[in-house]
Amino acid sequence: MHSKKEKTVLKAFIGSILILLIPMTSFGQEAKIHSHNDYLHKAPFWEAYANEAASIEADVILQGNTLYVAHEKESIKEGQTLTTLYLDPMLKAKNLGLGTLKPTLLLVDIKTEAYSTLDKVVEAIKPYGALWEDQENPFVKIVISGNRPKVEDYPKYPFPIFFDYQSIQDTSNLPLEKIELFSLSFKNFSQWNGKGRLVDEDLTKIKSVLDLVHGLGKPFRFWATPDSKTSWKALSELGVDFINTDHPYAANAYLSNLNDRYYQTPNLRKIYKPTFERDGISGPVDNVILLIGDGNGLAQISAAMYGNGNQLTLTQLKNIGLIKTQAADDFTTDSAAAGTALATGNKVKNRSVGALPDGSPAKNLPEILSSHGFVTGIVTTDNLTGATPGAFYAHRTERDMTEEIASDLAKSPLNLFIGGGKNDFTRFEKDETINLSQAGFHLTSSLDALAKSSSEKVGFFASEDELPKVMNGRQGYLRDATKASLQFLESKNKPFFLMVEGAYIDSGGHINDSETVIEEGIDFDQAIAEALRFADQNGRTLVIITADHETGGITLPQGNLNDRRVELEFTTEDHTAIMVPIFAYGPQAGLFRGIYENTAVFTKINEVLSPYLK
C-alpha cells in the first residue's frame, strides 16, 4: 500500500507521463485501437492507455511460478511480468483516476501450455478485483488468446476471464457469453500491403467474415495487418472493430480526427467557363485583376476542386506557372513578406508590410500605377489592416503595428477598399475613419451603394471586427465585393488595378480544418469567376490568380469523387515553402508561364502595362 504522500507524488508523475503521451487533440472514434505486442513499447501499458487503446496485448510465458511478459523464453527479462507491466499499472490508473478509465481489454497471449498458464493467470489476478468490481461496466477484462483451453472449457473460468476466438469454420453452439471477440490473420484474406486500395475480391472476403461475426453480436480483429494510415482507415471504414497496430500514438492521432479531416461539400457551386477569345493574345492590357488566395497551394486548390464536383472556374485556365515564395530573411515566408513581394517586387523580411529590409518604404503597384492615370482598389475577407492587403498601401516594418498600418490607408492613392475590421480604425486614439473621409473616401453603407457611387474614392467596412468564415454566414461576400468593385472601377473610364484576397483559406490551414480550407477555396473561386466574366466582357483585362504561400503542408491521401468527399492530411499548422501555382487569363497571359520568384509577378505586371508607364 502507498501512503497518501506517495499516492500524490505517484499521481503527479504518472499524470506528467500521460500529458506527454496524449495527443493535443483527441476526439472520439468508431474503430478501437489494439496495441499489438504492447510490451515491446518504451512505456508498456501507459503509452497504449494514454492513446486510448481499447485492447492491449501482452505475450505471456509461464516459467517456474512467474508469468513473464515476452515473446519467447530467450527474450525474458527479469522483473517484466504480467503483474509489474500491466496489472499494477492498471490498478494505479484506476485508483488514481488517471486517463479516461474507458473499458479496456488486456489480451493475454499465452505462449506456454494453456491450462497451467491460465490457472496461474487466474491466481495472479485475484488481488486486482477493483479493476472489474463493476461487472456491468468493468474497467478491465482479461481476454485469453494464443494457447487456449478447449472451447467447451471456456465457461469453467470465472469473471473477468474471456476468450479470443480464432475460427469461423464452426460457429454453432459456441459459448458466446465467454467469447469477447473474434480474431483472424489478415493474410488468410488478402496480401494487401497497406498501400493503394484493397482489390474487390479481398473486400468481398473481408465483408463476409465481418458480417458473420457481427451477426453473432461480437467484435472482430485482424492480426498481421499492414500497419499504415491507409490500412487503419480502410479497415476502420470496413467495420473492423479493433485496429491492430504497433504504433498506438500515431494510430490514435490519425483515426481520432479522421472525421474532421474527411470533408464532404454540402452544395455544389456553379463554375464559369471562360470563352478564351482573348486569352494569350499579344493585344493591349488596360486592366489587371490580381487575386491572391492566402495559403492556397496546389493541395488546397485540388481539395476545393474535388469538393465542388471535380471542377472549379480556376481549373479551366490554360496559362499556368509556379512561383517561389522565400522571404529575404527566411526560407519560409509569412503573408507580410509574400504580400509585399507581390505588391512591390521586393524581397523583404518576414513581418514587414511594404517596408524594405532597411525600413524604408517599398513603392507598391497602386502607388506606381496611380501616377500613370490608373484607378486602383483592394478587396479582402481579412481585416483591412491584415498583412496581405496592407502590403498594397502601407509601409511598416512590423505587421502588428495595426494602428500605424490603419493610418497609412488615408495616405494611399487607392480609389477603393473593401474589407473587415473597422475597429482597427477606431479603437486607437485617432479615429482613422475621419482621416479617410478627409482624404476623399466616401464610406458607403453597402456594396450596392459602392458599386453605384460617383465618388472618386470609396470604401466599405464589411464588419466591425473580423468577418465570419463562409460556413458561419459569409456566403457570397467575396464574389459580390469583387463584382461591385469592378462595376465601380469600370465606371471611371480609366485603366485600373484591383487586388482581391481570399484570406481564410490560410486560416483553415493554420487550424488544420478541412471544411474551412475547402469551403473558403470554393468561395474564392466564385470571386475568380466574376473576374474572368468581366475579362471576357471587357477584352482588355488580364486576370492573375496566385497565392502568397502554402499553409498546412496539406496532402490528399483519399477521397471519393462521386460524393465529393476529400480527406486532407496536415503536416504543420504553419506556412510551408512549397512553390504555389499562378494562373493567368486574358491578353499576354502566356507571360506568366514558367517557374520564377514571387517578385517577378510585380515585374511582369509592369511589363504588361508598360505602354502606360512610359
Side-chain angles (χ1 to χ4, degrees), residues 172-473:
S172 60
N173 300 317
L174 289 176
L176 291 174
E177 71 281 359
K178 292 299 291 183
I179 294 174
E180 184 62 27
L181 77 157
F182 281 66
S183 299
L184 294 170
S185 173
F186 183 76
K187 292 182 179 179
N188 291 336
F189 295 84
S190 176
Q191 296 303 307
W192 185 50
N193 64 359
K195 298 177 177 65
R197 70 183 299 275
L198 281 156
V199 299
D200 291 343
E201 182 181 352
D202 294 350
L203 284 169
T204 300
K205 293 178 186 176
I206 292 169
K207 287 177 181 177
S208 294
V209 71
L210 287 170
D211 288 344
L212 187 153
V213 173
H214 289 160
L216 296 171
K218 295 297 175 181
F220 182 82
R221 172 182 71 97
F222 278 123
W223 75 80
T225 57
D227 204 3
S228 66
K229 292 177 180 178
T230 303
S231 173
W232 302 334
K233 176 176 175 291
L235 295 174
S236 173
E237 289 184 340
L238 282 167
V240 175
D241 302 280
F242 289 91
I243 305 299
N244 213 63
T245 182
D246 291 327
H247 310 285
Y249 175 90
N252 184 55
Y254 178 76
L255 288 171
S256 63
N257 64 8
L258 181 58
N259 288 338
D260 293 330
R261 293 183 286 103
Y262 219 122
Y263 181 69
Q264 180 179 31
T265 312
N267 300 305
L268 286 173
R269 267 71 119 215
K270 291 182 179 179
I271 67 165
Y272 175 72
K273 294 190 175 181
T275 66
F276 296 101
E277 289 180 10
R278 308 280 291 172
D279 186 40
I281 67 168
S282 59
V285 173
D286 294 338
N287 314 306
V288 172
I289 306 171
L290 173 62
L291 296 107
I292 302 171
D294 199 328
N296 198 31
L298 184 58
Q300 286 83 345
I301 294 169
S302 301
M305 178 185 69
Y306 297 136
N308 197 51
N310 203 19
Q311 59 179 358
L312 291 174
T313 297
L314 180 60
T315 57
Q316 309 302 305
L317 302 188
K318 302 174 182 177
N319 290 291
I320 305 169
L322 295 168
I323 59 175
K324 307 170 189 178
T325 63
Q326 279 70 34
D329 63 340
D330 204 333
F331 182 72
T332 303
T333 191
D334 72 350
S335 294
T340 300
L342 296 171
T344 74
N346 292 282
K347 293 281 189 182
V348 301
K349 294 179 179 179
N350 275 345
R351 306 196 66 81
S352 295
V353 179
L356 295 170
D358 63 3
S360 61
K363 207 164 188 179
N364 56 51
L365 282 167
E367 290 169 337
I368 294 168
L369 296 176
S370 64
S371 65
H372 292 277
F374 280 69
V375 287
T376 60
I378 59 172
V379 176
T380 182
T381 56
D382 197 1
N383 284 7
L384 281 157
T385 56
T388 302
F392 287 83
Y393 70 84
H395 302 286
R396 301 293 170 177
T397 57
E398 170 54 56
R399 62 186 294 174
D400 283 345
M401 297 173 70
T402 303
E403 181 178 6
E404 293 79 2
I405 292 171
S407 71
D408 283 347
L409 184 55
K411 304 168 191 172
S412 79
L414 286 170
N415 298 87
L416 173 148
F417 68 80
I418 301 173
K422 184 177 181 180
N423 281 346
D424 289 345
F425 293 80
T426 60
R427 62 189 171 97
F428 300 105
E429 289 185 13
K430 294 180 181 178
D431 185 345
E432 288 298 334
T433 61
I434 296 174
N435 287 339
L436 288 168
S437 296
Q438 290 175 347
F441 283 98
H442 171 57
L443 303 182
T444 66
S445 58
S446 69
L447 291 175
D448 187 57
L450 180 143
K452 297 174 182 177
S453 175
S454 60
S455 300
E456 286 300 311
K457 304 180 80 171
V458 293
F460 175 64
F461 288 106
S463 62
E464 292 294 320
D465 296 300
E466 292 182 352
L467 279 160
K469 296 181 175 67
V470 168
M471 57 274 202
N472 295 328

Side-chain angles (χ1 to χ4, degrees), residues 591-606:
L591 183 63
F592 290 82
R593 295 177 184 174
I595 299 174
Y596 43 89
E597 295 289 344
N598 52 6
T599 51
V601 177
F602 170 91
T603 305
K604 291 174 184 292
I605 291 173
N606 277 273

Side-chain angles (χ1 to χ4, degrees), residues 479-498:
R479 175 199 64 208
D480 295 343
T482 302
K483 186 175 182 179
S485 299
L486 292 171
Q487 187 175 337
F488 172 83
L489 294 172
E490 186 182 31
S491 71
K492 302 309 166 189
N493 296 314
K494 296 179 180 180
F496 68 76
F497 169 81
L498 176 67

